[in-house]
């Protein structure tokens, strides 16, 4: 007797990707941006409006504190539109690439060792570290073949994501402490990209990521 659809479904192993992303990838393989976020203030409401994930078209994804930002962060020092993640098609490529562009006049944004100011932008690689206004952000890009849309999956980290030697690498010098691993903490030394990691953390993202599990707040962007 042939197996039922339910039996076939039960035989498929669970994957690490969220169910929604797996369903989308069955229809059209979308590029996935996995964005990890950290702010040093305990119990901060900075990430109150951050959704678990967003499917976005091939237009720039806006980051800032304004209601029109796709990634809305509640920090008074941020501009309404602080920066953008901008998809584009490289010459000779059939996949979306991404750049980061600074939209704020208030200060600088630090990206992979470069300090960017208003309207400056830089292409992103597979793994990227970003710091601005006390926020640490790590962006990992998993390429798909769709040119019409991409997916952002957001995670919060309770611990720092980036090891920083110099205060000049952020425009908020007084708000982000030096992130040297404490003695006996078990954390390894920073790698060449400056990520914090330990032998128990195989991927170079630093502290373990915590998926957002909350109901969308009123006014949150879907």
């Amino acid at each position: 007797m042939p197996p039922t659809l339910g039996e076939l479904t039960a035989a498929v192993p669970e994957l690490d990707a969220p169910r929604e992303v797996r369903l989308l990838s069955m229809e059209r393989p979308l590029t996935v941006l996995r964005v990890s976020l950290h702010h040093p203030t305990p119990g901060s409401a900075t990430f109150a409006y951050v959704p678990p994930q967003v499917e976005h078209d091939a237009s720039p994804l806006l980051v800032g504190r304004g209601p029109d930002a796709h990634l809305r962060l509640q920090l008074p020092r941020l501009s309404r539109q602080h920066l953008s993640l901008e998809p584009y098609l490289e010459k000779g490529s059939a996949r979306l690439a991404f750049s980061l562009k600074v939209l704020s006049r208030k200060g600088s944004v630090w990206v992979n060792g470069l300090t960017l100011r208003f309207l400056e932008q830089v292409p992103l690689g597979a793994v990227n570290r970003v710091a601005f206004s006390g926020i640490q952000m790590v962006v990992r890009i998993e390429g798909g073949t769709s040119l019409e849309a991409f997916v952002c999956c957001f995670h919060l980290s309770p611990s720092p994501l980036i090891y920083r030697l110099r205060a000049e690498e952020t425009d908020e010098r007084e708000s982000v402490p030096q992130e040297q691993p404490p003695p006996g903490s078990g954390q390894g030394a920073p790698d060449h990209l400056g990520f914090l990691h330990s032998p128990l953390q195989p991927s170079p993202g630093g502290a373990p990521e915590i998926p957002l599990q909350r109901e969308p707040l009123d006014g949150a962007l879907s």
Side-chain angles (χ1 to χ4, degrees):
M1 181 176 178
T4 65
L5 178 60
E7 291 171 339
L8 287 174
T9 303
V12 177
E14 286 294 321
L15 302 178
D16 292 334
R19 178 175 180 273
E20 293 83 355
V21 175
R22 297 202 304 271
L23 291 176
L24 286 170
S25 65
M26 293 176 188
E27 301 170 3
R28 43 180 176 159
L30 301 180
T31 295
V32 178
L33 271 59
R34 301 195 181 277
V35 181
S36 303
L37 297 160
H38 170 75
H39 190 271
T41 305
S44 172
T46 302
F47 305 126
Y49 291 101
V50 178
Q53 71 178 50
V54 170
E55 182 180 354
H56 194 65
D57 60 20
S59 63
L61 185 138
L62 300 175
V63 179
R65 63 176 175 83
D68 57 342
H70 305 103
L71 175 53
R72 188 177 174 187
L73 304 173
Q74 296 296 98
L75 275 180
R77 293 186 296 270
L78 288 183
S79 297
R80 294 170 64 86
Q81 296 184 1
H82 203 84
L83 60 88
S84 61
L85 301 175
E86 308 208 350
Y88 66 96
L89 187 62
E90 286 186 312
K91 185 176 181 180
S93 173
R95 294 174 179 259
L96 286 178
F98 291 82
S99 66
L100 185 148
K101 183 176 183 179
V102 179
L103 303 177
S104 173
R105 299 176 184 270
K106 289 185 176 182
S108 59
V109 176
W110 186 80
V111 184
N112 295 331
L114 300 175
T115 300
L116 305 183
R117 299 192 180 276
F118 180 56
L119 295 184
E120 293 181 329
Q121 66 185 101
V122 65
L124 299 179
V127 183
N128 309 271
R129 55 182 183 143
V130 182
F132 58 96
S133 299
I135 291 175
Q136 297 179 4
M137 182 168 75
V138 174
V139 181
R140 296 180 178 86
I141 302 175
E142 300 175 2
T145 57
S146 174
L147 303 180
E148 289 76 34
F150 62 94
V151 172
C152 277
C153 297
F154 300 107
H155 299 78
L156 303 185
S157 173
S159 302
L161 296 166
I162 301 170
Y163 171 71
R164 204 162 24 248
L165 287 175
R166 299 186 302 276
E168 299 83 37
E169 294 176 346
T170 175
D171 58 314
E172 297 295 334
R173 294 176 174 82
E174 72 284 356
S175 65
V176 181
Q178 296 294 318
E179 287 144 10
Q180 190 73 266
S185 67
Q187 282 186 317
D191 62 13
H192 70 285
L193 285 177
F195 293 109
L196 284 172
H197 62 285
S198 73
L200 298 180
Q201 295 164 343
S203 63
E209 299 170 355
I210 300 178
L212 276 85
Q213 298 292 338
R214 68 163 69 95
E215 293 297 322
L217 300 176
D218 291 340
L221 295 173
S222 58

